[in-house]
Amino acid sequence: MKAREEPPVVARLVVEVRSDGTRTIARGALEDVTTGQRTTVEARGESPFALALSLSRALVRLPLFAGQVARSLLGGRPGPRER
């Protein structure tokens, strides 16, 4: 079986997770490789599910990440302002 070539890296997300058994904190950084923009992200939760939900919400609120997700879902097609 021939290995599929992976698409290029468009963003990097690095997250550190800390926990003492009663609370969990995730802190990290997000970089848009195409523009070089960087931002930080933080989420807190009392369970793994609550942490995942909080982290997802934090990421979606970031304009950098939201724009990258939109471009990825649209397959790189230009938006209305870019045409």
Side-chain angles (χ1 to χ4, degrees), residues 48-72:
F49 179 76
L51 179 66
L53 188 60
S54 178
L55 186 57
S56 297
R57 286 180 181 155
L59 288 172
V60 170
R61 288 184 189 133
L62 294 173
L64 169 76
F65 186 73
Q68 187 61 49
V69 168
R71 283 191 296 276
S72 296

Side-chain angles (χ1 to χ4, degrees), residues 15-18 24-28 41-45 51 55:
V15 177
E16 171 184 87
V17 179
R18 296 173 175 253
T24 305
I25 302 167
R27 290 188 189 111
V41 64
E42 183 172 327
R44 296 172 183 265
L51 179 66
L55 186 57

